[in-house]
Amino acid sequence: MQNTATPTHCPYCALQCGMNLTPAPDGTVEVSERADFPVNRGALCGKGRTAPAVLASGVRLTSPLVRSGGELVPASWEEALDRIAAGLVRTRAEHGPDAVGVFGGGGLTNEKAYTLGKFARVVLGTSQIDYNGRFCMSSAAAAGIKAFGLDRGLPFPLEDIPKTGCVILVGSNLAETMPPSLRFFNELRENGGTLIVIDPRRTKTAEQADLHLAPRPGTDLALALGLLHLVIAEGRVDTEYVQERTAGWEDARAAAMAHWPEYVERITGVSVPELRETVRLFCEPESAMVLTARGPEQQSKGTDTVGAWINLCLATGRAGRPLSGYGCLTGQGNGQGGREHGQKADQLPGYRKLDDPAARRHVAEVWGVDPESLPGPGRSAYELLDALGTDIKSLLLMASNPVVSAPRAAHIEERIRSLDFLAVCDVVLSETAALADVVLPVTQWAEETGTTTNLEGRVLLRRRAITPPEGIRSDLEVLHELAARLGVEKGFPTDPEEVFEELRRASAGGPADYSGITYRRLVEEDGVFWPCPGAAEAVEQPAAGDTTAMAHPGTPRLFLDRFATPDGRARFVAVSHRAAAEEPDDEYPVLLTTGRVVAQYQSGAQTRRVAELNAAAPGPFVELHPRLAARLGAAEGDPVAVVSRRGRAVAPARITNAIRPDTVFMPFHWPGEGRANTLTNPALDPTSRMPEFKACAVRLEAVRP
């Protein structure tokens, strides 16, 4: 075993922080800082520092498991793969290809996401594939495509943030969700810039802000419209920019003018003076940005909400200009790349649309199949999960834990239990894997090579640092073996670089064009921003033996010359405030919002197995204001029941003035009686199909001994 450090990237959030991994003599692996990587400059949060703990035997799965006599028992790889193939074949034969579902994850590498999408459409012939990234930034993606013609989380590198004049951060607690990024915002303030944080809670991020606005959950759309109203009323519209670089302004203007400040104050709880101060701070500098996260996006009107914030940027000339623009802070490690290359219900590799005949022809040619053989768009993530056991009889699931992470989780757990057959690939026995008929143990980030795309659109190479334990296989090997058993012998390589070479061809000419990116470039340049067209677009041929002389440099900053629309203009979208799908009433008088804590990640399937992280965040809680706690008769630490129309969760009270009196907060990392997603509302955004995780009506009940 080599003892030299391997430069790679963290397995968790979309920062994809750089780190070095060094094998230790005792068989473990040590993490050290990698100061040369510009995203984190060596800084790591507790999750990144302790990531190797999940590699330990006794924590991770080391053998395939099959269900026998109601229990999961160890089995050989041959038996486990044969069982999966038989289950999928049986379902297709009895019910047709769309009775087989595939569910992926935003933590899969680009190579795995690409291969999973190809496997679903070419081998299984099913349209029923989606992934948990639908629950991440799909509303921001939909709004970005409407406005700019292209969706990439951030259209500029993180390094631009400290150089701008003002940032409005909407619904993000990045001090806890991606702590190393906080330095960019601290540097912004050190440089004389202003940080405005919008969040119903006074989070650790809000404590760093120059101005904190605390609207009612679910009212971010009204807030953005009220700010645009003031921009118009105060004569702060950049009329020259609007005329030269946008379309649709008059309709958007009329919609915003219906949201006067006092009306918006009544809806949101944000005072008129606070609205005016926000507009002043945002408009006075030469440059400014709006960054959104799950707060405004995980709503049944998330696409319109993000669209309203984009309208604010466009009206003030803050998009497609240096050090300005709208951006989305992607959550999952490969949430960006994961939806670009085919595991999303309506997309083909390169961010092509599945219902576009030209896109189908291009990808079908790369895959060597008839375009007519490719199925059409399928169900979105929640709709797919909701159809389990009825229309969808069997499910192949990779890198996701919907028993904890899906809205209306008790219902989704019932749907999963009703399946005829469930196969799960994971590194640990998650709550969902525990319900499976077959569980396959797969390699983790340190044990495999592959690419991810971080929140900036920077494609990165994670490099294998250690050898996986005997008996562990990669997801690519799993899909190769299953394809062979289902009659497709070729087209599913196990080498990630070979897969990436095919991905390059499949993405060529698409919105997310990776064709000019190679593993060699990723090593030499420490990441390349897409779009990055291939050599075919070069005017001259490179010199003999020079593979990079004419290589496209990548695109760190989008839209500086034109937007990705047919005429190059950004589009205003006229939107108006509407209520959340479920507002408080006499029976359920309080609003619930959900989110993360610093020591846990997503459904907690991995982080809950790390002792240091569990010591810092051992379990769920209900955060509530002292006035609400007094009415309930609850003291700090008392068990509190939170009840919605979908179920009941119980967790200890955490009493704080940092939250609105009409709102409670629960983190969503835990299963069992404290499972926050038992309560959440699956009401879907009509465009993005994003569920409304961030606002639902609940009541509180004291739990007496």
Side-chain angles (χ1 to χ4, degrees):
M1 179 182 293
Q2 66 177 24
N3 291 316
T4 57
T6 299
T8 189
H9 297 274
C10 180
Y12 291 116
C13 83
L15 286 179
Q16 287 298 279
C17 290
M19 59 170 59
N20 289 314
L21 296 181
T22 305
D26 61 0
T28 61
V29 62
E30 297 176 352
V31 172
S32 59
E33 72 173 37
R34 185 178 157 199
D36 61 330
F37 187 61
V39 171
N40 63 309
R41 306 176 202 163
L44 293 169
C45 73
K47 296 185 290 292
R49 285 188 298 97
T50 61
V54 186
L55 298 167
S57 60
V59 176
R60 55 99 52 82
L61 293 168
T62 55
S63 169
L65 304 173
V66 299
R67 194 161 296 279
S68 176
E71 302 292 329
L72 286 171
V73 298
S76 70
W77 272 95
E78 293 304 305
E79 179 186 357
L81 290 166
D82 286 346
R83 283 206 189 190
I84 295 174
L88 300 179
V89 167
R90 184 170 57 250
T91 296
R92 284 197 308 172
E94 294 177 0
H95 304 286
D98 274 357
V100 179
V102 177
F103 200 84
L108 294 176
T109 63
N110 290 317
E111 292 81 359
K112 294 177 183 180
Y114 172 85
T115 303
L116 186 62
K118 181 180 180 182
F119 178 84
R121 295 177 175 110
V122 172
V123 178
L124 298 176
T126 182
S127 66
Q128 301 304 305
I129 174 172
D130 210 69
Y131 83 127
N132 63 15
R134 176 79 69 170
F135 301 156
C136 179
M137 57 177 290
S138 59
S139 292
I145 290 170
K146 283 185 177 183
F148 307 130
L150 184 69
D151 155 48
R152 195 180 84 185
L154 293 181
F156 41 72
L158 285 163
E159 66 187 35
D160 284 1
I161 290 172
K163 304 169 188 175
T164 193
C166 177
V167 173
I168 299 179
L169 189 61
V170 191
S172 171
N173 182 17
L174 53 81
E176 296 200 66
T177 59
M178 43 183 68
S181 70
L182 189 62
R183 65 174 54 192
F184 293 102
F185 299 87
N186 290 337
E187 289 172 13
L188 163 74
R189 300 183 68 209
E190 291 168 3
N191 292 340
T194 303
L195 176 62
I196 301 170
V197 171
I198 298 173
D199 197 300
R201 306 163 60 220
R202 188 164 181 81
T203 62
K204 292 181 180 179
T205 307
E207 290 173 354
Q208 307 300 313
D210 298 281
L211 178 63
H212 171 220
L213 309 181
R216 290 179 69 248
T219 65
D220 307 270
L221 174 53
L223 180 59
L225 287 163
L227 296 175
L228 182 53
H229 178 110
L230 285 171
V231 165
I232 298 165
E234 295 177 3
R236 298 181 184 269
V237 175
D238 188 335
T239 54
E240 182 179 353
Y241 173 93
V242 169
Q243 290 170 2
E244 292 180 355
R245 299 204 60 188
T246 72
W249 166 237
E250 289 304 323
D251 288 344
R253 181 187 185 280
M257 292 310 291
H259 297 77
W260 60 95
E262 292 77 11
Y263 172 57
V264 169
E265 180 182 69
R266 289 199 301 273
I267 294 170
T268 65
V270 177
S271 71
V272 173
E274 288 175 314
L275 296 173
R276 293 189 184 279
E277 180 66 359
T278 301
V279 168
R280 183 187 71 80
L281 293 172
F282 184 67
C283 292
E284 286 187 352
E286 183 177 344
S287 59
M289 300 172 178
V290 172
L291 304 178
T292 67
R294 306 302 79 76
E297 298 164 17
Q298 287 181 327
Q299 299 184 28
S300 59
K301 53 182 182 294
T303 302
D304 285 356
T305 300
V306 173
W309 288 105
I310 291 174
N311 286 351
L312 180 67
C313 290
L314 294 176
T316 53
R318 307 297 198 175
R321 283 180 168 172
L323 306 180
S324 289
Y326 164 77
C328 167
L329 298 172
T330 312
Q332 294 192 79
N334 197 31
Q336 181 71 52
R339 70 179 179 283
E340 294 168 1
H341 298 301
Q343 66 171 332
K344 194 160 171 276
D346 57 349
Q347 286 174 357
L348 288 169
Y351 224 143
R352 288 180 159 92
K353 298 297 290 182
L354 189 54
D355 56 5
D356 176 0
R360 293 169 67 88
R361 286 194 301 271
H362 174 86
V363 174
E365 183 177 359
V366 173
W367 289 350
V369 299
D370 183 345
E372 296 299 318
S373 70
L374 298 177
R379 293 175 171 89
S380 70
Y382 180 79
E383 292 165 306
L384 189 158
L385 294 170
D386 190 41
L388 298 180
T390 53
D391 294 340
I392 298 173
K393 304 294 185 180
S394 292
L395 182 68
L396 173 63
L397 184 144
M398 286 186 167
S400 188
N401 188 18
V403 165
V404 178
S405 64
R408 197 185 174 196
H411 169 73
I412 295 304
E413 181 177 345
E414 290 176 4
R415 302 308 332 133
I416 290 172
R417 290 179 181 275
S418 72
L419 283 164
D420 292 347
F421 182 79
L422 171 64
V424 173
C425 299
D426 210 330
V427 297
V428 296
L429 191 67
S430 70
E431 287 71 24
T432 305
L435 304 179
D437 297 283
V438 180
V439 182
L440 299 181
V442 290
T443 50
Q444 300 194 52
W445 101 107
E447 302 164 343
E448 60 186 10
T449 294
T451 62
T452 62
T453 306
N454 81 344
L455 77 172
E456 307 164 295
R458 188 194 305 251
V459 184
L460 303 163
L461 184 65
R462 285 187 191 162
R463 281 169 271 193
R464 174 168 164 161
I466 59 173
T467 302
E470 185 178 352
I472 305 297
R473 299 187 185 181
S474 73
D475 295 282
L476 294 180
E477 291 175 302
V478 168
L479 294 172
H480 172 85
E481 292 289 342
L482 290 177
R485 282 167 169 78
L486 293 168
V488 181
E489 299 286 344
K490 297 181 179 180
F492 290 86
T494 60
D495 176 56
E497 187 168 10
E498 186 177 348
V499 175
F500 190 79
E501 288 300 304
E502 183 178 301
L503 183 157
R504 292 175 62 203
R505 299 195 304 276
S507 73
D513 191 336
Y514 283 32
S515 60
I517 304 175
T518 64
Y519 272 29
R520 175 179 169 179
R521 285 192 66 182
L522 295 178
V523 171
E524 293 175 349
E525 301 173 38
D526 218 354
V528 178
F529 290 85
W530 72 261
C532 183
E537 286 72 19
V539 177
E540 303 175 21
Q541 291 299 313
D546 185 354
T547 60
T548 60
M550 291 302 298
H552 189 286
T555 314
R557 295 169 181 86
L558 295 171
F559 313 137
L560 294 181
D561 299 318
R562 69 191 310 274
F563 295 97
T565 56
D567 61 4
R569 290 172 171 264
R571 303 286 192 265
F572 283 97
V573 178
V575 295
S576 296
H577 169 71
R578 60 183 185 274
E582 188 176 78
E583 290 285 345
D585 56 20
D586 290 342
E587 187 176 3
Y588 300 96
V590 177
L591 280 166
L592 167 72
T593 193
T594 65
R596 287 169 48 188
V597 297
V598 66
Q600 301 289 353
Y601 181 72
Q602 305 300 72
S603 75
Q606 295 187 38
T607 52
R608 284 186 276 111
R609 289 168 165 80
V610 179
E612 180 180 328
L613 300 179
N614 277 338
F621 57 85
V622 180
E623 187 177 279
L624 67 164
H625 191 274
R627 293 211 301 265
L628 192 54
R631 288 202 300 270
L632 188 65
E636 180 76 14
D638 285 352
V640 171
V642 185
V643 183
S644 78
R645 291 177 173 85
R646 288 152 297 280
R648 184 175 190 265
V650 178
R654 183 173 293 182
I655 301 172
T656 174
N657 285 302
I659 192 167
R660 292 174 55 95
D662 57 4
T663 301
V664 296
F665 167 84
M666 291 187 71
F668 53 66
H669 309 290
W670 288 273
E673 71 170 3
R675 180 175 59 185
N677 278 318
T678 297
L679 309 167
T680 49
N681 190 353
L684 301 181
D685 180 288
T687 302
S688 68
R689 316 308 289 168
M690 167 73 85
E692 191 151 60
F693 287 97
K694 283 297 184 279
C696 71
V698 298
R699 68 171 181 266
L700 303 184
E701 298 174 354
V703 178
R704 305 302 179 194

